[in-house]
Amino acid sequence: MSEPPVLSVERLRFEYEGAPVLEDLSFEVGRGEVFVIVGPSGCGKSTLLRLALGLLRPTSGTIRVLGRDPSAGPPEALRSLHRRIGVLFQGAALFSSMTLEDNVAAPVREHTTLPDRLVRTLARMKLASVGLDASRGHHPSEASGGMRKRAGIARALALDPEVLFLDEPSAGLDPVTAGGLDDLILYLKERIGLTQIVVSHELPSIFRIADRILMLREGRIIAEGSREDILYSQDPRVLDFLLRNAPDLEAGREALEATREPAS
């Protein structure tokens, strides 16, 4: 029997002040996938992420994460679910008054009773896994944008989640730093099989990291499939989105071709 989906969405609808934001969304995300949600600004990407995290409740339809409704249930059940989920918010959302080490340690202190020595050891291991061991004593203001994003991922991984949500992980980063973050996402997939659900609009990154892509437009799904399905789609709505920045489209196709196995 195949494993149940990590994220299951069925006939999902969300309204804000009577206006539809998301309409009739249905899809699933399997375990171990890097699943990327794309679309123009205002299409509902961030709203969908907030619904998956239980920060909003659907107007109708269902959304389930690891088999549970993230916005309903007794407090202890929701606390248990939230321990199984890691989140990287767009701005990393680090506590400015804490060092990077203490930022990573924060969820461990909140959700466990481990002694401080073990909490610090765990935080240092997570920072080392994202290449920040030498920077653990820095405050966020002393770190670059890329370092803050990596520290945010280390904090999201602190409790060994089963699924990691990443909101615009490459936003505001230079191409080299963004490429390093892509490498980290792929490492987490290949090394530990971590399911990752990514909201992004950076085409080269999307077509390098994604196993599957969901494209939204005006709150509806207009395409879902592999990188090849999206990159070579003839749907005019998909092409309209991709061709808004032709160099990015070419970079995406080049990145896709680079991942193909060489001919024997």
Side-chain angles (χ1 to χ4, degrees), residues 5 8 10 30 44-45 69-70 97 187 202 209 211 217 230 238 264:
S8 176
E10 186 173 355
K45 302 188 300 293
D69 181 342
S97 62
Y187 171 83
E202 304 285 346
I209 65 173
D211 292 309
R217 178 170 172 171
I230 303 301
V238 177
S264 57

Side-chain angles (χ1 to χ4, degrees), residues 5 80 84 104 123 174 212 219 247:
S80 175
R84 300 166 68 192
V104 176
D174 64 82
R212 285 194 301 130

Side-chain angles (χ1 to χ4, degrees), residues 13 23 31 66-67 78 90 103 121-122 126 135 138 151 187 191 198 200 203-204 208 213 231-232 261-262:
R13 175 182 172 86
E23 289 268 17
R31 193 167 293 275
L66 300 169
L78 294 180
Q90 185 169 342
N103 266 280
T121 298
L122 178 60
K126 297 300 182 182
S135 303
H138 291 181
Y187 171 83
R191 185 65 180 267
V198 184
S200 182
L203 293 185
R208 184 172 175 220
I213 298 168
L231 267 172
Y232 297 104
E261 293 293 331

Side-chain angles (χ1 to χ4, degrees), residues 23-191:
E23 289 268 17
D24 197 28
L25 270 58
S26 296
F27 65 93
E28 293 183 346
V29 178
R31 193 167 293 275
E33 282 193 292
V34 176
F35 187 87
V36 182
I37 302 166
V38 305
S41 297
C43 71
K45 302 188 300 293
S46 295
T47 298
L48 178 56
L49 183 65
R50 288 196 288 271
L51 285 161
L53 295 175
L55 302 177
L56 297 172
R57 293 180 66 91
T59 302
S60 62
T62 61
I63 182 164
R64 302 183 73 81
V65 179
L66 300 169
R68 293 180 177 271
D69 181 342
S71 64
E76 188 52 44
L78 294 180
R79 183 178 174 85
S80 175
L81 175 61
H82 293 157
R83 283 191 58 173
R84 300 166 68 192
I85 297 171
V87 186
L88 173 68
F89 294 102
Q90 185 169 342
L94 300 175
F95 298 110
S96 60
S97 62
M98 294 183 179
T99 64
L100 299 185
E101 180 180 312
D102 284 330
N103 266 280
V104 176
V108 185
R109 291 189 172 116
E110 179 182 356
H111 290 283
T112 76
T113 57
L114 290 174
D116 187 68
R117 177 178 58 83
L118 291 181
V119 171
R120 290 195 173 278
T121 298
L122 178 60
R124 291 171 184 177
M125 289 173 59
K126 297 300 182 182
L127 284 168
S129 74
V130 300
L132 289 179
D133 184 52
S135 303
R136 64 179 183 265
H138 291 181
H139 285 78
S141 61
E142 302 171 299
S144 66
M147 290 170 66
R148 289 194 294 272
K149 291 288 181 76
R150 286 176 174 269
I153 291 176
R155 184 175 64 183
L157 296 174
L159 295 171
D160 294 325
E162 295 175 52
V163 56
L164 178 63
F165 291 90
L166 302 104
D167 187 11
E168 298 285 2
S170 300
L173 302 181
D174 64 82
V176 173
T177 304
L181 209 57
D182 291 342
D183 289 340
L184 178 56
I185 290 170
L186 292 172
Y187 171 83
L188 293 172
K189 172 197 169 184
E190 293 161 6
R191 185 65 180 267

